[in-house]
Amino acid sequence: MSAYDVIVVGAGPSGLNCARLLQRAGRRVVVYEARGRVGGRIHTFHPADGGPPLELGAQVVHGDRNPVHQLVGPGRTTEVPRRVSARIVEDGANREMGALSRGRRAPWQLEAMLQRAPGITGLSVGTWLRAQGSTGPEAAAATEWFRQNWAADPDGLSAAAVAEAHRRDDVGEGEFAVDGGFARLPERLAEGLAVRLGEPVRELAHEPGRVTVRTDAGTAAARALVLTVPPAALAGIAGLPADKRAAAGRLPAGDGCCAVATLDRPAPDTVIVFDVDGRTGFVRCTAGRPEALVVAKADAAAELRAAVADPAALAALLATALPWTSGAAVTDLAVADWGRDPYAAGAFTAPRAGLEDAAREWAEPVDGTLFFAGEATVSGERLPWVQGALASGERAAEQVLKALATR
């Protein structure tokens, strides 16, 4: 049986950041990862012709002060151009994005209002929207906006937690791409670490100061374990305390599915499309490139999932969002179905109305031996994006080091 100071389960950004910090502090660490790659829900698609990479998971680096900039290496990120053609699909028609703010409040304006709203404790986002008098097309657009940005229906989304997560996000302004693809981040974080790929943890057992895990390759023991598996994907791991399973059950992940369709012609313009009708989420293409990227969450994920299995349905969805694809043939298709991925079980964990304490309960250590990280542990405290996952790994590393120092 192999012995370590710390076992980390999951090689996404939270687990790798935690392991990196623990190893830097002189602890012997091993990371077990069920997939055959590092990165978790960071997954970069590289076109066969060597063209610019596209992201099938985490999309962009949010903010000019995001820790990702330093972790991937100085000068390795580039700001995403803001001057692109922005459009919507609404009532089956393709229109300019500006239509969302003509005679009504745009979804992003309502979300900004929510961040400053008083007296929203206990309310869902849907309830708050209705209290603002949001109805008709304005309400429909806002509802889909929250579904696509939070992977949850507004009526189940905590208004106070969404506002708090935005207020506590201190990563600055702008959106950035990682040169060579977002997968560069987990690859850099994994450098020098002992990472066991393709080894899902099947069972764990613990007592104060000692934990053992079983994988298909054998067993390992350590003084502490950090579990970074999404709560919704814990079905395959036995031995977790009952109260932790109960907390995990209150943290469902929203549905998500992403696809890159490579077509037999290049895009004439760089365009981003928001599908208000709820069928494709966000769709992007780049001038001169043949790919169309679809990032769909909530109900739109199910629409995309069905469409990728039916070429005619996929062609119809693309033609509505991107008219230039009409009549084009799809020559290649890459899909990341996060909702059907057994190791993700969804896109990410949004803070649910009435369950605001679930993330805190899930994150609480057990016997100074079991520790928890991952974006779900900071749900409602930070935005559920990569910076939140990294911060959760840092917090878990600090907790582990403090516990080990007292033994």
Side-chain angles (χ1 to χ4, degrees), residues 217-314:
T219 60
R223 300 166 65 194
L225 178 143
V226 182
L227 186 65
T228 74
V229 175
L234 286 171
I237 301 179
L240 197 65
D243 60 337
K244 285 298 180 182
R245 284 207 178 272
R250 295 191 289 273
L251 291 166
D255 199 4
C257 186
C258 300
V260 174
T262 303
L263 300 139
D264 63 355
R265 67 184 67 163
D269 300 294
T270 298
V271 182
I272 179 169
V273 182
F274 168 44
D275 188 345
V276 177
D277 292 347
R279 302 190 66 199
T280 51
F282 287 97
V283 185
R284 302 170 185 261
C285 64
T286 301
R289 293 297 309 170
E291 300 92 7
L293 170 65
V294 186
V295 180
K297 304 184 189 77
D299 291 348
E303 291 271 357
L304 178 60
R305 182 176 297 121
V308 297
D310 180 348
L314 180 60

Side-chain angles (χ1 to χ4, degrees), residues 44-393:
T44 300
F45 169 80
H46 294 276
D49 66 358
L54 295 149
E55 302 300 339
L56 285 166
Q59 293 294 300
V60 297
V61 180
H62 295 273
D64 52 8
R65 297 194 300 273
N66 196 304
V68 172
H69 296 292
Q70 291 303 314
L71 290 171
V72 299
R76 294 286 187 170
T77 55
T78 304
E79 187 164 14
V80 176
R82 300 188 183 188
R83 297 182 64 87
V84 301
S85 177
R87 303 191 66 83
I88 63 170
V89 173
E90 187 174 40
D91 297 328
N94 193 295
R95 303 168 179 165
E96 293 183 357
M97 184 83 76
L100 291 178
S101 55
R102 293 191 191 116
R104 51 175 155 158
R105 293 166 292 187
W108 51 88
Q109 293 172 323
L110 288 164
E111 189 166 24
M113 287 171 56
L114 175 61
Q115 295 171 40
R116 303 185 297 270
I120 56 176
T121 300
L123 298 182
S124 72
V125 170
T127 300
W128 178 82
L129 285 169
R130 288 186 286 273
Q132 306 313 300
S134 187
T135 59
E138 178 187 284
T143 295
E144 191 59 25
W145 179 265
F146 278 100
R147 283 174 177 160
Q148 293 311 312
N149 283 286
W150 288 90
D153 191 274
D155 280 330
L157 192 56
S158 168
V162 167
E164 178 68 8
H166 273 294
R167 285 194 294 265
R168 294 189 62 174
D169 186 55
D170 57 357
V171 294
E173 302 296 326
E175 294 183 341
F176 300 79
V178 179
D179 297 346
F182 219 142
R184 178 177 173 83
L185 173 65
E187 290 165 359
R188 287 293 300 271
L189 292 174
E191 290 177 359
L193 294 176
V195 181
R196 304 286 188 259
L197 296 177
E199 273 196 62
V201 170
R202 305 297 187 186
E203 185 177 7
L204 63 86
H206 88 282
E207 59 188 48
R210 178 177 170 83
V211 62
T212 59
V213 301
R214 179 181 63 80
T215 73
D216 294 341
T219 60
R223 300 166 65 194
L225 178 143
V226 182
L227 186 65
T228 74
V229 175
L234 286 171
I237 301 179
L240 197 65
D243 60 337
K244 285 298 180 182
R245 284 207 178 272
R250 295 191 289 273
L251 291 166
D255 199 4
C257 186
C258 300
V260 174
T262 303
L263 300 139
D264 63 355
R265 67 184 67 163
D269 300 294
T270 298
V271 182
I272 179 169
V273 182
F274 168 44
D275 188 345
V276 177
D277 292 347
R279 302 190 66 199
T280 51
F282 287 97
V283 185
R284 302 170 185 261
C285 64
T286 301
R289 293 297 309 170
E291 300 92 7
L293 170 65
V294 186
V295 180
K297 304 184 189 77
D299 291 348
E303 291 271 357
L304 178 60
R305 182 176 297 121
V308 297
D310 180 348
L314 180 60
L317 284 182
L318 291 176
T320 302
L322 301 172
W324 66 267
T325 67
S326 181
V330 175
T331 62
D332 190 26
L333 185 63
V335 180
D337 190 344
W338 301 109
R340 298 285 177 86
D341 183 327
Y343 305 123
F348 49 75
T349 305
R352 305 292 173 143
L355 300 175
E356 287 84 356
D357 291 334
R360 193 174 303 110
E361 294 170 0
W362 173 243
E364 188 67 25
V366 177
D367 294 333
T369 304
L370 299 183
F371 300 84
F372 302 84
E375 50 82 18
T377 65
V378 294
S379 178
E381 176 186 334
R382 291 176 178 267
L383 293 171
W385 299 330
V386 172
Q387 65 264 31
L390 291 169
S392 76

